[in-house]
Amino acid sequence: MLKGFAPIHTANSSVLILGTGPSVVSSLKQQYYGHERNAFWPIMASILAGPIENYEQKWDLLLANDIALWDVLAQFERKGSADSAYTEVIANDLRQFIDEHTQLRIILFNGKKAADLYRRLIGYYPVTVQFETLPSTSPAYTLDIGQKLKLWREAIIHPIQSLQKES
């Protein structure tokens, strides 16, 4: 079985972004959203106003904004990179992750498949956490980049500003 990556997070993470599992290119690079046409990192750079020239900067950008990144799947069988091609799946222990991250207030799903897998395999929806499904940043999901950016910006900026006011 193929294996996912460890989470990017701190104890203070207030937002968790969940994908499904690494693509073939991401697995080869050992980087979240490693495919050059995936819009995830350009969207984060635009929203969070930070550099993403290397993988360390990408991590730093998320962590500086209390954003955690992980996938629903810990292990999986899949032919190619399509979310529709999963044949076997084993979930990460997201219930434990959520319970241990007491600052967590928002979980954003990077695409419908991530939300569906979470619902089916985890099904844990604490009342203190808001859940939202966003358009996939994958190049296979053909929504215009401007529309993806707008929806992702609304989902990240307004809640982060609200959380900062609470602090």
Side-chain angles (χ1 to χ4, degrees):
M1 289 186 81
L2 300 170
K3 294 185 188 280
F5 304 141
I8 297 172
H9 67 106
T10 68
N12 295 324
S13 296
S14 57
V15 176
L16 171 60
I17 299 172
L18 289 173
T20 54
S23 70
V24 172
V25 172
S26 293
S27 292
L28 290 171
K29 289 183 173 182
Q30 287 296 290
Q31 297 181 4
Y32 279 100
Y33 304 104
H35 193 290
E36 62 278 351
R37 288 186 24 237
N38 192 298
F40 182 81
W41 293 114
I43 286 173
M44 291 300 115
S46 177
I47 293 169
L48 304 172
I52 56 164
E53 294 169 25
N54 59 54
Y55 198 51
E56 184 178 346
Q57 287 179 338
K58 293 172 181 178
W59 272 58
D60 291 345
L61 182 62
L62 295 181
L63 296 177
N65 289 280
D66 295 324
I67 297 175
L69 181 62
W70 207 10
D71 287 320
V72 175
L73 302 179
Q75 297 180 51
F76 54 91
E77 289 292 335
R78 179 186 65 208
K79 291 185 180 183
S81 294
D83 278 347
S84 60
Y86 288 106
T87 56
E88 281 186 64
V89 295
I90 298 173
N92 278 309
D93 191 350
L94 285 158
R95 184 182 193 111
Q96 179 179 343
F97 184 90
I98 292 166
D99 287 344
E100 289 175 353
H101 289 76
T102 57
Q103 301 300 311
L104 197 59
R105 296 294 174 259
I106 303 157
I107 295 180
L108 303 174
F109 297 107
N110 190 349
K112 290 179 184 174
K113 187 65 172 188
D116 291 344
L117 287 167
Y118 182 90
R119 179 188 46 75
R120 186 165 55 91
L121 301 172
I122 312 296
Y124 181 52
Y125 297 93
V127 296
T128 57
V129 180
Q130 171 189 333
F131 293 81
E132 185 173 349
T133 303
L134 292 167
S136 173
T137 59
S138 167
Y141 187 70
T142 58
L143 185 67
D144 172 80
I145 182 72
Q147 292 173 295
K148 287 181 186 181
L149 176 59
K150 179 180 184 284
L151 293 167
W152 276 88
R153 181 182 308 280
E154 289 170 3
I156 290 175
I157 290 299
H158 300 302
I160 285 179
Q161 289 172 343
S162 296
L163 290 168
Q164 288 170 344
K165 287 178 187 173
E166 289 176 14
S167 301

